[in-house]
Amino acid sequence: MRSRAWPLRVAVQTASVAWAAWIALNAAYLVAWADQTRTPPPALSALAGLFPFGPEAGSLSIEDYCPFGPLEGVVRAAQGLAAGRGLSFVGPVTLRNLGVLFAVAALVLLTKKTFCSWLCPFGALFEALGWIGRRLGVRQARLPGRWDRRLRRLRYAVLAVLVGLTGWAGYLVFKEVDPFFALYTVGSAAAPVGGYVVLAVLAAGALVVPGAWCHYLCPLGAALDPISRLGRIRITRADPACTRCDRCSRACPQRIPVARRQRVTDALCTNCLRCLDACDRGALELRLEVRP
């Protein structure tokens, strides 16, 4: 039996993808029409009525809402503060990005990594690709537990390398191969070729290994892990109703042994609620725990 929140999660994911796509459309296409002083098609004119249109909209970009920029440039920011130059950012990163990062961190502190399974448009797209792969009959791989645990450490290596290289080079080195940036700048001059290549590889991989990017490579997810352990809204177990069938553990995409947890405090938990969907005994619930 599915949890009541499952349709809500799909709706939130859809809205998140649509919102990000709308910003990308405005930045890459609507502004281009205005800059060329050409009359946009009627359909675009109608859309423009719902969103800023014209040269003044050029300041709006998907980059403005990326929470990873401040993390990638944290070394440069620290260097600026140490040198007495005040808070400085790298490339297009601004205070808006820092605000988004703080908002995401606060959300994770309250609800664990729900950002990853509910709000991240990139995660939603890869989850959808996994679903499409299953519908097409693609045989999906599930790595052995030992290799899965080892490969998950790659996220920390990716995070360390990107932060270190950005601090040394002084610009956002990840931008040239960033699949997220490539996806939301398709058709514009700013789109990086390297990002297209990475995006194509990840999209193909998601059909075979669902969640490969999120599980093994996402640097933002790695940075949020320590905060996620402190998340107050958690999956908890009611022992009298539990039959130890282990269905909840098998349903967890993060491979958390939910059946052996009284409360799920694992950093990897995204509160996707699939374990609740799998439990037909009502032994699991989502609960706010104020005390540790």
Side-chain angles (χ1 to χ4, degrees):
M1 181 176 65
R2 290 196 179 279
S3 65
R4 295 180 180 178
W6 181 81
L8 177 61
R9 186 169 80 89
V10 174
V12 172
Q13 285 180 315
T14 302
S16 176
V17 172
W19 173 80
W22 182 244
I23 292 179
L25 176 67
N26 179 79
Y29 298 101
L30 298 186
V31 174
W33 279 104
D35 289 345
Q36 295 171 14
T37 63
R38 298 168 60 184
T39 303
L44 290 185
S45 295
L47 291 175
L50 303 175
F51 208 73
F53 178 71
E56 69 279 0
S59 61
L60 190 65
S61 167
I62 193 66
E63 289 183 275
D64 294 336
Y65 299 94
C66 176
F68 185 64
L71 280 174
E72 192 178 357
V74 67
V75 172
R76 281 281 170 165
Q79 290 173 342
L81 289 173
R85 296 192 301 268
L87 184 63
S88 60
F89 299 104
V90 178
V93 177
T94 65
L95 281 173
R96 180 181 294 173
N97 298 97
L98 191 61
V100 173
L101 175 60
F102 285 155
V104 169
L107 179 66
V108 173
L109 190 59
L110 175 64
T111 66
K112 300 185 69 62
K113 290 168 68 175
T114 51
F115 172 80
C116 299
S117 65
W118 288 70
L119 293 174
C120 178
F122 212 43
L125 286 173
F126 281 126
E127 185 175 331
L129 284 173
W131 179 84
I132 291 172
R134 292 191 295 273
R135 288 289 181 175
L136 294 177
V138 177
R139 185 176 180 180
Q140 297 186 327
R142 184 175 174 89
L143 298 178
R146 180 174 61 180
W147 282 104
D148 178 73
R149 290 189 295 271
R150 288 177 176 176
L151 288 175
R152 285 179 187 271
R153 298 171 188 167
L154 281 175
R155 298 176 303 133
Y156 302 108
V158 172
L159 176 62
V161 168
L162 293 179
V163 170
L165 287 179
T166 301
W168 172 74
Y171 67 93
L172 300 177
V173 294
F174 188 42
K175 188 175 179 179
E176 299 302 319
V177 293
D178 185 354
F180 182 85
F181 183 64
L183 177 65
Y184 288 106
T185 53
V186 171
S188 72
V193 176
Y196 284 144
V197 174
V198 174
L199 179 61
V201 172
L202 291 174
L207 297 173
V208 181
V209 184
W213 164 263
C214 304
H215 296 171
Y216 308 127
L217 295 170
C218 179
L220 178 60
L224 295 176
D225 277 356
I227 307 175
S228 180
R229 290 188 182 276
L230 304 174
R232 308 321 304 167
I233 296 182
R234 305 164 173 168
I235 301 293
T236 60
R237 176 178 309 283
D239 278 334
C242 182
T243 62
R244 300 294 188 270
C245 65
D246 210 38
R247 291 175 61 181
C248 53
S249 297
R250 293 196 298 270
C252 179
Q254 304 297 337
R255 292 193 172 184
I256 298 171
V258 181
R260 298 199 296 270
R261 300 283 195 268
Q262 189 63 36
R263 59 173 62 88
V264 181
T265 59
D266 302 60
L268 296 176
C269 179
T270 64
N271 278 339
C272 66
L273 307 183
R274 291 188 185 179
C275 56
L276 269 72
D277 294 345
C279 181
D280 58 0
R281 298 285 182 175
L284 298 175
E285 63 179 350
L286 197 63
R287 180 184 297 175
L288 172 63
E289 297 188 327
V290 178
R291 294 183 296 177

